[in-house]
Amino acid sequence: MFLTVHRPPQHGLICLLLALVGCPVLGAPFEIKVHDELIAEYQESAYEIETNLFQAPASQGLKTNVFQTRLEYGYGIAKNSEVGANIYLSNYNGVSYVNGGKLSYMYIPTHDEEGLWHYGVKNEINYIQDVGGTETTFYELTPILALQLQDWRFTINPSVDVVLNKYSSATFSPSAKVAYGLTHSLDIGMEYYADNLPNKSLYNVTQQPHTAYVVIDAKHNKSTFNFGVGKGVTTNSDNWVIKLIASLSFD
């Protein structure tokens, strides 16, 4: 993903666990997700709720942690395609904000789900107003490539973000996931996110946000749930992040 968002009070963790809801200048993105499959089946609607709570670096000077929420509606326009609309919300320093949203299109070609390779692409137009009031509109292209080896699944999203203004610039925001299937409905794994890497200075890793997560994925009927606890691995990363994603289908 891209930018960052805003910060919540200490009771935000309780809200996260009880209400399934929730960042930015440097901070966790609204969407902390490694894309792998559609959320909505053909001619069906699906809903996704993501919340995350994080402690920003001290350099941000925030009085509280940041609680972010992303609400998504998805609709399957074909057997291999869906469109989605998202809204971003946050709470920090005791104040709630509407931070923007995005429109998305995701394409997953028909292929053997039991086979070795899984692939696709997601296109998004994002608008975000960050914690400092800066407004940014950007296009994100997210290739999707996954490898299934028996109970192990390896997924990579080498995303590229392009700011849509007169100072247009591109950044590289790759993410990756390794998951092991404990049962047919429960996986455990790790996710890794590197946000907003300038294309001409990829070598300067210590100055860029990198966050690693331990995650659990669960499935129930057509719905899926992802819970993760993350820790920043560089000085400009968030100290810690808790995230919860619920993808719900009622059709």
Side-chain angles (χ1 to χ4, degrees):
M1 284 308 298
F2 206 70
L3 247 60
T4 41
V5 198
H6 316 248
R7 341 273 157 172
Q10 296 297 329
H11 66 267
L13 176 58
I14 298 175
C15 296
L16 177 68
L17 298 177
L18 296 181
L20 299 181
V21 281
C23 77
V25 187
L26 286 175
F30 287 97
E31 185 172 35
I32 309 174
K33 178 180 179 180
V34 177
H35 296 286
D36 195 1
E37 57 187 13
L38 304 173
I39 65 170
E41 297 184 6
Y42 179 44
Q43 293 185 338
E44 292 186 1
S45 296
Y47 307 87
E48 191 163 86
I49 303 172
E50 175 174 358
T51 62
N52 59 67
L53 175 70
F54 70 89
Q55 184 181 59
S59 59
Q60 294 299 310
L62 297 174
K63 298 178 181 178
T64 67
N65 298 323
V66 181
F67 187 54
Q68 300 186 144
T69 302
R70 177 180 62 85
L71 304 175
E72 177 176 0
Y73 169 75
Y75 183 77
I77 59 174
K79 292 183 178 180
N80 53 16
S81 300
E82 74 168 30
V83 293
N86 291 242
I87 186 170
Y88 302 142
L89 309 169
S90 68
N91 181 284
Y92 67 100
N93 291 345
V95 181
S96 297
Y97 299 86
V98 177
N99 299 92
K102 71 175 180 179
L103 298 175
S104 65
Y105 168 73
M106 189 171 181
Y107 173 68
I108 302 292
T110 301
H111 50 270
D112 182 9
E113 292 298 326
E114 301 299 325
L116 193 63
W117 297 104
H118 183 89
Y119 47 89
V121 65
K122 188 170 187 179
N123 296 271
E124 302 175 352
I125 296 292
N126 276 268
Y127 166 78
I128 293 179
Q129 185 176 55
D130 68 24
V131 68
T134 302
E135 298 181 18
T136 305
T137 301
F138 64 96
Y139 164 72
E140 181 170 276
L141 173 66
T142 302
I144 299 165
L145 182 61
L147 176 65
Q148 183 75 45
L149 295 175
Q150 296 183 345
D151 294 328
W152 290 91
R153 191 174 185 91
F154 304 85
T155 308
I156 185 170
N157 290 171
S159 300
V160 176
D161 301 324
V162 180
V163 177
L164 302 177
N165 58 27
K166 60 182 180 180
Y167 304 108
S168 180
S169 61
T171 57
F172 183 47
S173 299
S175 59
K177 181 174 184 175
V178 178
Y180 178 76
L182 298 174
T183 69
H184 291 299
S185 59
L186 185 66
D187 297 346
I188 188 170
M190 294 189 65
E191 297 176 356
Y192 193 89
Y193 299 84
D195 292 325
N196 307 324
L197 309 185
N199 291 335
K200 295 182 180 180
S201 60
L202 295 177
Y203 60 87
N204 194 10
V205 174
T206 59
Q207 301 300 314
Q208 300 153 352
H210 292 250
T211 309
Y213 291 80
V214 175
V215 297
I216 295 175
D217 294 286
K219 296 181 180 179
H220 178 68
N221 296 326
K222 294 183 178 181
S223 299
T224 62
F225 304 88
N226 170 273
F227 176 75
V229 177
K231 182 73 173 65
V233 298
T234 60
T235 55
N236 283 334
S237 304
D238 300 309
N239 294 324
W240 53 262
V241 186
I242 299 174
K243 66 158 181 162
L244 179 61
I245 304 173
S247 302
L248 309 171
S249 179
F250 305 105
D251 292 313

